Amino acid sequence: MYYCRFCGHETKEELDACPKCGELFGKTELTHNDARKLVQTLHKNETFSREKSDAAMVFIILGIISLILGALFFVLAYKLADANALVRTLSTTAFEFWVALFLLAVGATILVYGLIVLVIHFSRLKRLSLKIEEIRAFYLGKDQ
Ligand SMILES: [Zn+2]
């Protein structure tokens, strides 16, 4: 087993370049064909990361909506204790209170999950596009 020292990707054979992050190993020059294949692989990884980033954005938006709804239900959980009460107090026995807790917990969870996925894949995306540009400039000139 060989491991890329830049991203940790595992390969069965020793390669000239990492198929995951595009980092070139050693001083071996890539052939035009190898460079083209590598760019294609990196493009696939780039598309994967772009899809993940888009999905993360959906999670973030759903998380925010869930948090807003949770806050609304939390306000609704403030109730008058009895007919003579002048101020509303938080009623932990109210149905709204438990809905609020549920929505806040779910909202926070998917928001954090979305943010983590976005950070990971967005930085990967940036790195891959730079790498693709680099390989194109060095090995493929203007023909791709
Ligand atoms: Zn790598």
Side-chain angles (χ1 to χ4, degrees):
M1 284 294 171
Y2 296 90
Y3 297 92
C4 170
R5 66 198 145 104
F6 298 97
C7 73
H9 183 67
E10 191 182 290
T11 52
K12 284 198 184 82
E13 42 180 344
E14 200 167 10
L15 302 169
D16 294 334
C18 173
K20 182 145 192 214
C21 70
E23 212 49 67
L24 303 181
F25 308 141
K27 285 187 179 114
T28 14
E29 291 279 299
L30 284 183
T31 65
H32 192 277
N33 235 9
D34 284 348
R36 182 171 288 178
K37 261 189 238 158
L38 182 61
V39 165
Q40 279 169 2
T41 311
L42 294 179
H43 255 305
K44 259 185 238 159
N45 296 342
E46 198 187 28
T47 306
F48 176 76
S49 279
R50 187 165 292 128
E51 283 165 5
K52 283 279 180 187
S53 296
D54 291 346
M57 286 305 293
V58 173
F59 273 105
I60 289 168
I61 291 166
L62 289 178
I64 291 170
I65 291 171
S66 185
L67 286 178
I68 292 170
L69 287 176
L72 280 175
F73 272 94
F74 199 75
V75 171
L76 291 175
Y78 276 83
K79 294 190 179 295
L80 294 171
D82 55 70
N84 300 320
L86 294 175
V87 277
R88 290 172 182 272
T89 49
L90 182 63
S91 164
T92 54
T93 53
F95 156 76
E96 290 89 342
F97 176 74
W98 295 101
V99 174
L101 280 193
F102 175 76
L103 287 172
L104 291 174
V106 169
T109 307
I110 58 180
L111 180 64
V112 169
Y113 173 76
L115 286 173
I116 291 171
V117 172
L118 185 70
V119 166
I120 292 172
H121 285 281
F122 198 71
S123 56
R124 204 171 279 174
L125 202 59
K126 290 265 166 203
R127 222 177 150 280
L128 283 169
S129 354
L130 283 176
K131 211 69 216 174
I132 289 170
E133 285 313 306
E134 199 183 305
I135 293 166
R136 276 184 175 163
F138 274 110
Y139 295 101
L140 300 173
K142 281 175 183 166
D143 67 42
Q144 253 222 342

